[in-house]
Amino acid sequence: MKIDDSRLDPSLDRRLAALTREYAPDPALWHGIEARLPPRRRSRRLAIAAAVGGLALIVATLTAQLQREPLLDPGRMTVDAEAQALRALEPESIPAAWTEAAAGLESAWHDNQAAIAELEQALERSPGNRLLLDFLAQARLRQARLIGQAATRNSVPISTERKIDT
Amino acid sequence: MKSNHFLKPLLTLMFIMAGPLAAETVSESRPTNTDARIELIAVTGDFEIIGHDGNSFELSGELGEDVRELVIDGSPEHWKIELKMVRNQRGWGRKKSSELKLLVPRSARLEARTVSADLELIDLDGASIEASTVSGDIELVRVRPFELRIKTVSGDIESDGGGSTMNRMESVSGDLELSGARGRVQLQTVSGDIEIDGTEIDDLQAETVSGDIEARIRPTAEAWIKLSAHSGEVNLQLPAGTELRIEAETFSGDIRSAFGGDVERGRGPGRKLRFEADGAAIRVEAATFSGNVVLSEFD
């Protein structure tokens, strides 16, 4: 169908163009819509809120746990492991062996000390006695050796270092 | 979080329960040259090292609960066998120590170092044998290397056989007992006794403070024997008729000799015996502070 333009009223077009093209609905309308919404949409929000809250709670709990037990920090874990390893370098059997050996060293020390005392007393009675002087020199050297051995009690020549190869 | 409370004690319990099971059986073998150098390093335990005719070393037995790791390193020319100790755990009672037997080529050069472990060396005749402990005892049976060096602090040393050219045994408070020795012998202790029985002895030096010295030897033609004790007795037995050059001296003890010579008393305290048989080349020196010196014969 063909329209004859000459028969149209131009003022009608102008009035039509002047009409308001947007209209804000009455706010009460939204409340009505909201009231008619199904209840499941409300529970989803609650679930999301609960999840967010739960996550926040977990984060807070983990943070508190990390502050109480900072072992999860790799640097701290390494330091602790090294400290343990250093403590482990001295097996209990080594001090035990040295305790046993120390009794022998002490016994030898007392024997030698008694010998020194006897020699010194004898030298007061026989000053310049060559035999006594020789024995005294040997006894003093022996005493120095015993002191040296006692001093190295904790440096046992047995390696306890950690090694991985087999 | 609740599971952690259960998990941690559970894991701890599992480790504790696993403890006694840590001792494991060992059976290791490596090709070894007949004159190889073999090192054994350990802390505690009981070790038997035996010479055999094979070209290998064979380690068998049980590792102690105090052993963290057995490390075997080296080549057929030189093996190092080391028992690494576990870290300082406080367990209930004493842990079971290692009990190992090590077979090595009879002519291997052996170096065994332990702390409190006992060592038993059997049938070895390599160039050198060295063994040391802190508090463990060392026993040698038919061990006849060229050079023998044994050292301990409080342990005893007992050797049947000995080095053909050099024997050195040292202790602080342990006793030294050597039979079948030859060549050069050096024995030193402080509060232990010394007992030696040897033939073809070139050079014998024995020293103790409070222990006694008992020596029964057959010296070579130009041997030098030097014995010293502070309060202990010195008893030297030599084949009857041995011609000697004797220098014996004591401050407050007595001197007796079956090989001739008169005991002299000086102006002060002390006694001496100086004697030289015609053409004698064997030299004996004996000295004590308060112990007696006795030179006697055997057939």
Side-chain angles (χ1 to χ4, degrees), chain A residues 51-93:
Chain A
V52 170
L55 187 64
L57 182 66
I58 291 168
V59 170
T61 309
L62 283 176
T63 305
Q65 180 78 2
L66 287 172
Q67 284 170 348
R68 281 199 305 271
E69 297 178 22
L71 291 176
L72 291 177
D73 172 15
R76 180 64 179 269
M77 283 174 73
T78 305
V79 170
D80 284 358
E82 287 301 317
Q84 273 195 329
L86 284 171
R87 282 194 294 271
L89 286 180
E90 189 174 77
E92 63 186 12
S93 52

Side-chain angles (χ1 to χ4, degrees), chain B residues 218-240:
Chain B
R218 292 182 185 275
T220 56
E222 297 184 352
W224 182 19
I225 300 158
K226 187 175 182 181
L227 311 173
S228 169
H230 180 84
S231 55
E233 309 273 319
V234 170
N235 290 300
L236 174 63
Q237 294 181 58
L238 297 164

Side-chain angles (χ1 to χ4, degrees), chain B residues 35-95:
Chain B
D35 60 349
R37 178 182 167 206
I38 296 177
E39 289 180 85
L40 172 69
I41 302 169
V43 176
T44 63
D46 202 341
F47 300 94
E48 208 175 29
I49 305 173
I50 305 171
H52 72 148
D53 295 324
N55 290 338
S56 63
F57 85 68
E58 289 164 27
L59 180 67
S60 61
E62 199 169 74
L63 288 180
E65 293 163 16
D66 52 1
V67 173
R68 175 168 48 85
E69 186 181 14
L70 167 65
V71 179
I72 298 173
D73 194 14
S75 64
E77 292 81 29
H78 177 198
W79 287 111
K80 185 175 178 183
I81 303 163
E82 186 167 5
L83 274 68
K84 303 277 191 182
M85 298 300 292
V86 77
R87 69 186 188 88
N88 196 7
Q89 290 179 338
R90 300 295 175 196
W92 295 316
R94 279 182 85 89
K95 289 182 168 53

Side-chain angles (χ1 to χ4, degrees), chain A residues 65 88 91-93 97 101 104 108 111 115 118 126 130 132 135 142 145 149 156 158-159 161 163-165, chain B residues 1 42-44 69 82 84-85 87-90 115 134 154 172-173 188 191 207 209-210 229-230 249 251 269:
Chain A
Q65 180 78 2
E92 63 186 12
S93 52
D111 284 359
E118 283 182 335
S126 306
R130 186 190 52 78
L132 296 178
F135 265 95
R142 194 180 299 115
R145 283 203 307 271
Q149 282 181 285
V156 180
I158 297 286
S159 168
E161 68 195 10
K163 200 172 179 180
I164 296 169
D165 58 330
Chain B
M1 304 308 290
V43 176
T44 63
E69 186 181 14
E82 186 167 5
K84 303 277 191 182
M85 298 300 292
R87 69 186 188 88
N88 196 7
Q89 290 179 338
R90 300 295 175 196
V115 177
V134 175
S154 60
V172 173
S173 58
Q188 189 177 58
S191 51
E207 177 187 313
V209 174
S210 53
H230 180 84
E249 190 168 6
F251 185 74

Side-chain angles (χ1 to χ4, degrees), chain B residues 122-143:
Chain B
I122 303 170
D123 290 329
L124 296 164
D125 58 12
S128 63
I129 303 289
E130 291 184 28
S132 64
T133 72
V134 175
S135 60
D137 295 331
I138 302 176
E139 185 179 354
L140 297 88
V141 180
R142 297 183 299 277
V143 172

